[in-house]
Amino acid sequence: MSARHNSSPLTRQVTLTVLTLAAFALAIVVGFGFYAASQADDASLERQKMFIADGLQDKIAAVEREQESISVWDDSVINAKAGNQLWMTENLSVWMYTYYGHNRVYVLDSANHPIHAMREGKLVEVSAYGEDQPTLLPIIEKLRRMLAGPPQTDAHGQPMKMVAEDLVSLDGALAIVSVAPLVPSSDRVSQAQGTEYLHVSVEFISDAVVHKIAGKYLLEGARLVPLSEPVGPAAVPLVDSRGVILGHIGWDQLRPGLALVRKIAPALAIALLLAGGVLVFLLSRLRRASAALQTSQDQAQYLAFHDTLTGLPNRALFEDRLRRTLLFASKDGTRVALLYLDLDRFKHINDTLGHPAGDELVRQTAARLKHTIREVDTVARLGGDEFAIILLDVPDVGSAEDIADRLLMKLREPFRLIDDQVFVSASVGIALSSGSDTDADDLLRKTDIALYEAKKNGRGRYQVFAGDMDDLLLRKRKVESELRKALEGDGGIKLAYQPVFAADGHRILGAEALIRWGHEVHGALPAAQFIAIAEERGLIGDLGKWALSEACRFAAGTELPWIAVNISPMQLRDIGFAGQVAAILEETGLDPSRLQLETTESVLLEHNDTIGTVIAALRQSGVRIVLDDFGTGYSSLSYLRRQAIDKLKIDRSFVRLLDEDESARAIAKTLIELALALKVEVTAEGVETDAQKNLLVGMGCRQLQGYLLSPPLEPGRLLALPGISSADQERSAARA
Ligand code: C2E
Ligand code: MG
Ligand code: MG
């Protein structure tokens, strides 16, 4: 399994989403903070502008008020009209300078001629007025018009103050100009309309004045900004009565929002850091969790496609790979070889050495297979002791055979299992894809058939699939299904009976039941052939049971001394077989002593406890055991000696040679003598000639069977033989 856990697409996606959301949230918080701060700053700026504008208005009003303190005064009217320069200096001009800081004062007569002039606390020539006149005249004239008109009242019904003021630019500086008539403060002095003298006060708006205005509202850096200079947002224009902008008052803008932001910035930074920390922590937790999830997903994936015992790909992965491999191979025009490998007698090892040893054997086999093939090839475990190997790019059958050979050799080396050293062989089936053919199922089937053939042909070998195997298999399948049908009561299966004769060749000692299948297609399929198929396909149990009951039922109704029934070794491996026989005897009413069971030598060679037990039980019940085809297998005299059987049948291959072969005669003679000495009965099978019969009788053989004496017969014909009659026959004879 790979170790790249921490960058799963899921983790990345989640991390990205969370980070995006966090960045978004941060942007909103910061953005909103700055927006709020700038809103607050804007509102504050508006207020600051209002303060400055109000301050300026207050200042103008102050100039007016200061002027009013001297303009509404009986003495002013009297002294001005009297041209009393000293008095005017002390009360109307220098006074105004020293007390209020008015920079210039002019006193004009009723014809607007200057009669008194003061600049910066000093009396000057009245001609000085001439310089300022062009600027001041409009204001003066405005007042004159007011004075000439009817007296006006304000909104509160109070008489309107007779004063005209304006902002002006004078000598390149900005100034507040206020013009008021000198009017009596009591009715002790009277003055005719139109004769008023005027008091003109000029106060320059200096930086000091501006400072004072701004200072009241705690605004700093206040200054006058001439028109020629640019102004910032924190500025109010100085506008004269005609709406002409003369300059600005500027100041250092107060930014409470920004100040607040600056103030809370460190705290905010710490909070953000904390939030970031929490986020990072959560993300790392998330990544760990998702990595763990990914790991378990990987694990599940691995388990779904691998065999836990060997770590090899399992059947699902194998089939998937095979299909892909075939697809690619057909595109490349290369060939693929598929090998099925199956350990021989694995079950035996499992049974005798135990399952842990069996598992160990499978593991070691897997390792050996893996090391023998190339990296690009695939070994998979299909289950039990079955392995499949996909070989890529195989030029011909020969190279696949070479690899199979190598694999078989590798497996022939001894295995060291838990406590034991064992030798194992394996069988291999091979099939090659044919160029453009990509049908995996077809290849699987062919390999399966080839393996089956390899096993059948003696194990420990490989077998390449050949075209006719297919037909054979198909035929077998066909036979199997027909046989099944026949067994299910379709009929067609019958028993023939071949009598066994005494040495005289006339007296019938008993008969052997031989199965016959009169199938319309498969014709008279030789018994040995379809018995073999039944054994292979697991039908032998049913078939054997049927033959046994049929034969017993038949024999029970006759006077035959005994009936012999052939039994497959497979039936004897079933521990319940003795019980089954007993049940059939019980059911058919045949005495156990009248039943003989024929089986082949191979059975007795198997060191199988079950078979020994079953045979012993059968013999115990009185059933006799006959060794069929004696001399064809690995004959062992030991079980003759142990008296584990009751009779042996000399195989017809010996009998056939008796006429011609001296040594065959010698062997037959020895066998018969040996059997007689051990008190085991002997039957000679396949007696076809008188010479054979005579020789056998001469050797002491007392039981003969063969075409010479009688072929296998239908039941009716057997019963027609002299010396045998069925119970039915007797009954019908009696009736007659
Ligand atoms: P087997 O038990 O050795 O049976 C004797 C075979 O030899 C029979 O063949 C029989 O027809 C044949 N035979 C008899 N006399 C002669 C002769 O003089 N010359 C020649 N050439 N052959 C002769 P069949 O019936 O084809 O049976 C073949 C084998 O099939 C039997 O060999 C037996 O092993 C098996 N078999 C038959 N019926 C059954 C059965 O019901 N159950 C089982 N398990 N096997 C059966
Ligand atoms: Mg037989
Ligand atoms: Mg035989």
Side-chain angles (χ1 to χ4, degrees), residues 40-354:
D41 285 350
D42 286 352
S44 163
L45 181 62
E46 285 313 306
R47 258 197 322 278
Q48 291 166 39
K49 285 180 179 173
M50 230 161 63
F51 290 154
I52 297 294
D54 283 356
L56 189 66
Q57 281 313 310
D58 284 353
K59 179 67 194 167
I60 295 168
V63 172
E64 273 178 31
R65 246 193 342 274
E66 287 152 13
Q67 194 179 33
E68 197 184 359
S69 69
I70 51 92
S71 65
V72 183
W73 190 13
D74 292 351
D75 290 357
S76 301
V77 178
I78 294 163
N79 287 298
K81 285 194 171 167
N84 186 346
Q85 290 297 330
L86 188 66
W87 191 89
M88 282 192 284
T89 304
E90 280 178 358
N91 295 290
L92 298 186
S93 59
V94 177
W95 169 263
M96 296 303 277
Y97 171 78
T98 34
Y99 262 76
Y100 302 120
H102 294 197
N103 302 84
R104 295 181 186 183
V105 170
Y106 301 108
V107 181
L108 307 179
D109 65 11
S110 53
N112 293 347
H113 293 306
I115 58 158
H116 185 82
M118 185 280 299
R119 283 187 178 184
E120 306 302 336
K122 291 193 177 63
L123 276 187
V124 293
E125 292 294 322
V126 290
S127 58
Y129 169 72
E131 296 161 23
D132 295 348
Q133 192 199 23
T135 311
L136 302 177
L137 202 58
I139 310 165
I140 292 163
E141 282 174 343
K142 186 182 165 199
L143 183 69
R144 286 289 179 207
R145 279 195 297 280
M146 286 166 73
L147 290 171
Q152 312 240 324
T153 53
D154 66 9
H156 306 288
Q158 296 289 322
M160 276 269 278
K161 262 194 215 155
M162 283 298 167
V163 63
E165 81 294 307
D166 206 351
L167 293 177
V168 298
S169 178
L170 206 62
D171 288 352
L174 285 172
I176 300 166
V177 175
S178 182
V179 184
L182 297 176
V183 291
S185 51
S186 69
D187 40 15
R188 273 180 285 138
V189 177
S190 62
Q191 182 171 242
Q193 198 180 14
T195 63
E196 297 92 346
Y197 278 40
L198 302 182
H199 185 267
V200 178
S201 249
V202 175
E203 183 169 346
F204 286 107
I205 305 173
S206 63
D207 280 348
V209 169
V210 170
H211 265 282
K212 218 162 144 191
I213 294 173
K216 245 165 74 184
Y217 305 106
L218 305 174
L219 297 174
E220 289 177 0
R223 65 209 169 269
L224 267 177
V225 185
L227 272 182
S228 54
E229 282 176 28
V231 285
V236 290
L238 297 169
V239 190
D240 72 10
S241 57
R242 291 164 302 162
V244 177
I245 295 175
L246 308 172
H248 291 89
I249 295 176
W251 65 97
D252 297 343
Q253 185 185 349
L254 266 185
R255 291 171 170 275
L258 191 68
L260 186 73
V261 166
R262 287 215 180 103
K263 212 165 171 178
I264 62 169
L268 202 67
I270 288 170
L272 283 178
L273 270 173
L274 278 176
V278 169
L279 190 70
V280 166
F281 173 73
L282 288 179
L283 275 179
S284 78
R285 284 278 298 261
L286 176 76
R287 284 170 83 97
R288 264 210 303 281
S290 103
L293 185 70
Q294 186 71 37
T295 309
S296 61
Q297 254 174 11
D298 288 352
Q299 242 152 18
Q301 177 94 353
Y302 181 86
L303 287 179
F305 290 108
H306 289 83
D307 167 47
T308 39
L309 181 60
T310 60
L312 292 180
N314 64 9
R315 188 182 286 273
L317 182 55
F318 156 71
E319 285 185 0
D320 183 62
R321 282 215 188 144
L322 180 64
R323 278 171 226 286
R324 280 166 203 266
T325 307
L326 285 174
L327 207 69
F328 287 124
S330 79
K331 280 185 191 146
D332 299 353
T334 59
R335 300 179 77 184
V336 173
L338 179 60
L339 274 61
Y340 268 179
L341 185 144
D342 190 291
L343 296 180
D344 300 326
R345 300 184 209 291
F346 174 69
K347 192 179 166 327
H348 180 68
I349 290 174
N350 241 348
D351 289 347
T352 51
L353 300 181

Side-chain angles (χ1 to χ4, degrees), residues 512-514 564-566 598-599 628-629 649 685 705:
E512 179 182 5
L514 293 162
V565 181
N566 292 284
E598 294 190 9
T599 189
D628 209 348
D629 305 339
K649 294 177 85 172
E685 288 187 303
Q705 190 182 13

